[in-house]
Amino acid sequence: MANIKQKILTSIPEKTTAIINGKAVQGEGDNIFEVINPTDETKVLDLVGSDAEYVDRAVEAARKRFEQGAWSRAPIQARQEVLFKTAELIQAHREELAALDTLCVGLPYHGSTLGQTQAAADWFHYFGELIGTANDDLYQQLPNTKTLITRDPVGVAGIFPPWNIPLYSVALKTSAALAVGNSCVIKPSSQSPLSALRFVELLHQAGLPEGVVNLVNGSGSVTGAALAGHRDIDLISFTGGGVAGKLIATQAAQRFAKVTMELGGKSGNIVFDDASYERALDTALLAVYSNNGQICLAGSRILVQNTIAERFISDFVERVENIRIGDPFSPETELGPLSSKGHMEQVLSYVDVARSEGVEILTGGNHASGFDKGYYIEPIAVLADDNRLRVCQEEVFGPYATILTFDTEEEAISIANDTQFGLVAYLWTENVARALRVSEALRAGTILVNTPMQREKNAPFGGFKHSGIDREGGKWSLQFYSEPKTTVIPYKEFPIPKMGAEN
């Protein structure tokens, strides 16, 4: 892995700002963000924030291309060719793209970013196939009339991927938007800009007309606000935190722009005493500590039935203490550094929160030993006795598990639903009737029964309550990125009232 890491280091520009009309813009100005490698705290590059002028240029380019119709009115077969070619190119550059994300945010190369990059390629292939099988609707209830329902692209989409699944998210959103003919302006997180930059270059290499997809970089408060509030952005797809989500949704509402949002989570993982024990234990660890614990669908509240709680907690803590912490490029690493110094301090602050609330710290909570540089911490697990505590209600977004116990099925459901979030829920039981009862009662967008997280591309993904707005995936993505159009065509003349005519 040293070779791929060294290769990408030599190819990274000293600074960058945007890609507009197919051209890389190096940018100037004082609004500089240093992208820091969380493994050793060295600078990767300078990111020059795109101000409102750059955002306006990017949106103007996207709007012009949309109106010209080179992509928005291209035949389905022509769009498919570009989507399929993009999938091939992402696959061909899989190691490079994965390494860029690992370099910027410290996600394990073997355990996270390689898989995310493969999934990014798969989304382009999936939506390329899906638009070839989508059918228009035809209704004939009106006499001698055919009513045809087709779907048009909406216009210019603002794409906001997060830093914890950088390439995966931008590929999911962009592939669906492009599949139905939209133009896009992408605004990546300022922590993870490099894979998005390379991704846009690959789109052009695949044959996408220049200007259809543009990219701007910078802070949420300047670049993000300018993009979300731009009069020519017709729809917005955002994945990230609730605070930013509220601001973006408010701006979009001023001009009735469509939005889909995947926000936070504090998902419950219910383990009943009749669960497949080892599989439930394995998944409990994966659901909290994979992707360095920085994942919105983490099963970070583990609810264990009292009859097995002592054994489960003991085994869980033993496994947590054996998690291999190290360089994210190493094949042996299971937990790399957190994404930034600020985020590391935020996660560790919840150890103090736990102490202040009288919560038992089962393991972890310190800087990991053996590292002179980097944002490495020990994985954390705590045992709480009240779901109303902050460590049970607030999203930590790190390798931090909160364990609670319960006696009855009804109590487990009540605890799991007692949250402002509702993204996913995990459920472990060998009782089919119980699985059906509990999954029906849980208030979350995805219920995972006896399985770690799996993503069915044909299914909608999103959350209840504060976990989001609307859904993406499958036909739900195509519906979001398009507008239905009703065309009414009578094929036999019928009487039309003659207003104002003489009798």
Side-chain angles (χ1 to χ4, degrees), residues 298-409:
S300 53
R301 284 185 304 147
I302 305 173
L303 284 55
V304 187
Q305 197 157 21
N306 268 315
T307 45
I308 62 168
E310 184 176 352
R311 175 191 175 197
F312 188 95
I313 292 170
S314 175
D315 290 345
F316 184 86
V317 170
E318 181 180 358
R319 292 277 296 276
V320 171
E321 291 176 345
N322 287 324
I323 288 175
R324 293 184 291 275
I325 307 170
D327 186 327
F329 281 98
S330 170
E332 290 77 31
T333 292
E334 296 174 315
L335 187 71
L338 297 191
S339 62
S340 68
K341 181 179 180 180
H343 186 57
M344 176 187 68
E345 292 171 346
Q346 172 73 5
V347 171
L348 288 175
S349 74
Y350 276 89
V351 178
D352 294 330
V353 170
R355 291 193 180 101
S356 70
E357 294 183 320
V359 171
E360 180 183 356
I361 299 171
L362 298 169
T363 189
N366 302 301
H367 293 273
S369 61
F371 299 94
D372 295 330
K373 293 284 187 178
Y375 309 128
Y376 294 94
I377 69 169
E378 300 168 343
I380 302 162
V382 304
L383 179 62
D385 60 5
D386 189 337
N387 190 57
R388 291 170 295 182
L389 298 173
R390 285 180 62 191
V391 294
C392 302
Q393 292 293 323
E394 298 177 11
E395 184 179 34
V396 179
F397 212 69
Y400 192 115
T402 299
I403 301 175
L404 297 128
T405 61
F406 67 91
D407 288 312
T408 66
E409 181 179 307

Side-chain angles (χ1 to χ4, degrees), residues 111-173:
S112 293
T113 57
L114 271 177
Q116 291 173 14
T117 305
Q118 180 60 58
D122 292 345
W123 277 118
F124 271 86
H125 194 269
Y126 170 80
F127 281 116
E129 288 191 330
L130 188 60
I131 57 173
T133 60
N135 295 316
D136 295 332
D137 295 321
L138 178 66
Y139 299 100
Q140 300 184 81
Q141 185 175 2
L142 291 174
N144 304 314
T145 303
K146 294 184 183 294
T147 299
L148 183 65
I149 313 300
T150 55
R151 302 196 73 92
D152 284 1
V154 180
V156 180
I159 305 294
F160 291 79
W163 54 260
N164 65 310
I165 46 171
L167 185 67
Y168 175 92
S169 183
V170 76
L172 163 60
K173 298 172 187 296

Side-chain angles (χ1 to χ4, degrees), residues 403-478:
I403 301 175
L404 297 128
T405 61
F406 67 91
D407 288 312
T408 66
E409 181 179 307
E410 292 74 20
E411 185 184 3
I413 293 168
S414 177
I415 294 172
N417 285 338
D418 182 19
T419 171
Q420 65 178 325
F421 300 109
L423 189 56
V424 303
Y426 300 80
L427 164 62
W428 285 88
T429 178
E430 292 297 287
N431 185 319
V432 175
R434 170 183 277 169
L436 291 171
R437 285 194 306 271
V438 176
S439 62
E440 186 177 87
L442 291 173
R443 298 283 295 165
T446 298
I447 312 297
L448 298 156
V449 181
N450 296 336
T451 180
M453 179 61 196
Q454 297 191 68
R455 179 74 183 262
E456 165 61 59
K457 289 184 172 60
N458 294 296
F461 187 81
F464 288 21
K465 299 185 278 189
H466 287 202
S467 284
I469 301 172
D470 213 328
R471 300 290 188 271
E472 291 196 61
K475 66 180 181 181
W476 285 267
S477 282
L478 297 190

Side-chain angles (χ1 to χ4, degrees), residues 77-267:
Q77 183 178 358
R79 278 183 267 139
Q80 285 180 307
E81 289 174 358
V82 173
L83 293 173
F84 292 148
K85 182 61 176 177
T86 301
E88 292 176 7
L89 288 171
I90 293 174
Q91 175 64 40
H93 293 270
R94 179 180 172 220
E95 293 184 350
E96 173 194 356
L97 291 162
L100 290 172
D101 282 342
T102 294
L103 185 71
C104 289
V105 286
L107 301 174
Y109 179 80
H110 294 275
S112 293
T113 57
L114 271 177
Q116 291 173 14
T117 305
Q118 180 60 58
D122 292 345
W123 277 118
F124 271 86
H125 194 269
Y126 170 80
F127 281 116
E129 288 191 330
L130 188 60
I131 57 173
T133 60
N135 295 316
D136 295 332
D137 295 321
L138 178 66
Y139 299 100
Q140 300 184 81
Q141 185 175 2
L142 291 174
N144 304 314
T145 303
K146 294 184 183 294
T147 299
L148 183 65
I149 313 300
T150 55
R151 302 196 73 92
D152 284 1
V154 180
V156 180
I159 305 294
F160 291 79
W163 54 260
N164 65 310
I165 46 171
L167 185 67
Y168 175 92
S169 183
V170 76
L172 163 60
K173 298 172 187 296
T174 307
S175 59
L178 292 176
V180 291
N182 294 282
S183 293
C184 304
V185 179
I186 300 168
K187 191 276 174 196
S189 166
S190 57
Q191 290 182 247
S192 54
L194 290 178
S195 63
L197 283 161
R198 190 72 180 102
F199 165 74
V200 175
E201 292 173 353
L202 294 178
L203 283 173
H204 293 135
Q205 190 176 332
L208 186 73
E210 294 178 351
V212 174
V213 171
N214 303 275
L215 181 142
V216 291
N217 275 296
S219 68
S221 60
V222 176
T223 311
L227 183 59
H230 199 286
R231 64 188 181 280
D232 267 342
I233 292 293
D234 300 300
L235 69 168
I236 291 172
S237 178
F238 172 83
T239 298
V243 173
K246 288 177 183 178
L247 294 172
I248 289 173
T250 299
Q251 289 180 302
Q254 305 306 307
R255 60 184 188 281
F256 304 106
K258 298 172 68 175
V259 296
T260 182
M261 295 196 168
E262 183 196 324
L263 305 175
K266 192 71 174 180
S267 300

